[in-house]
Amino acid sequence: MGMVGGSLEAFIGGVHRRAAIMDGEIELVCGAFSSDPAKSKETGKALYLPENRIYDNYEEMILKEKELPEGERMDFVSIVTPNHVHHAPTKLALENGFHVVCDKPITLNTQEAEEIVAIAEKSGLVFCLTHNYTGYPMVKEAREMIASGAIGEIRKVIVEYPQGWLSAYVEVAGNKQAAWRTDPKRSGAAGGLGDIGTHAENLAEYITGLKITELCADLTIFVKGRLLDDDANILLRFNNGAKGILQNSQIANGEENDLNIRVYGETGGLQWKQMEPNTLIHKTNEGVRIIRTGVGNLSKAAQVHTRIPAGHPEGYFEAFANLYRNFAIHVRAYWEGTTPDPVYDFPTAKDGLRGMKFIDTVIASNNSETKWTAF
């Protein structure tokens, strides 16, 4: 793995590095860790990389690594920069024969995302978008239960992602994470919607197997002076006739990262919370069943994404690592000319494009007097 972004002071870069090495399939061999060459060198040194594999910028890294012998050069690029620096390194990596893992959202805008999808499809290379919440064992179990008809035809979906960390105007008080996430030039057209709302959209479609077809959105900027949305309330219509509610907020004071989903069908319901990720609740009018990671006769999908015996908590890092492990399996299959078991799945460039179009549609709906906007 070669990494773009993820300096020592960054948050998500360290998460990616820890997740990538968890299964012994991947090692970090090079990086361009910051737009500041000095910070890149400082980070590379702290990660014990040789000086000649610590690069000043991603262009230098990709082009110089390409010149190295196969088996010595990096095999793929992990892109963990702010949103506005996703497209260019992804494009350059794919065009030079490197597989890609990219943090979400895939790009700054839909036009860039469409280009990445086209390049990825033409190249045949493996592309993973890290909607990491799809990597949890109980998310896999919920998806399999719904696909098998365990709760009947889906009627209602409620998905929420409340946070409270942007309740104040912290982007002008030295908070680096807040500064770029609320800056249209670096974050894109959406604030909280792009940051966490797309996670909720992706989770709802992944678990249910349904597609959102129409939506009615209300975006708000509550904090005075802020340039991008910090609260979203969205009504959803799905392709099977089900109805849904999606809400995300970064001004829900006191909330942490409480991503949660409830899915109700004709014969039962399912509930999962990211802050209690090892528990899936199956409800019917006759009673409640608690399903736990590693306990009982779970689906193959849940089992292959479970790492340790029941009762030992598995969480954020392990879910992230499942995506990297599955990506590695697909890269090896690419080399060997084989087809991997589809149980080892991960979000792709097409999922990223759908996320960008979701953002566009929500913004269009918010700005429209029309009640429903087609997605």
Side-chain angles (χ1 to χ4, degrees), residues 258-279:
D258 194 17
L259 174 63
N260 66 89
I261 186 169
R262 286 167 283 166
V263 183
Y264 299 101
E266 291 179 340
T267 61
L270 291 173
Q271 179 178 336
W272 179 81
K273 294 172 67 72
Q274 196 266 155
M275 291 176 64
E276 297 289 342
N278 299 299
T279 298

Side-chain angles (χ1 to χ4, degrees), residues 74-113:
M74 66 180 181
D75 296 307
F76 75 95
V77 180
S78 179
I79 298 166
V80 297
T81 55
N83 305 352
H84 71 298
V85 195
H86 285 183
H87 171 264
T90 297
K91 183 175 185 289
L92 189 64
L94 291 171
E95 290 177 340
N96 283 276
F98 294 108
H99 307 281
V100 172
V101 173
C102 184
D103 203 57
K104 51 66 53 193
I106 186 171
T107 50
L108 192 67
N109 56 55
T110 297
Q111 183 179 354
E112 290 181 349

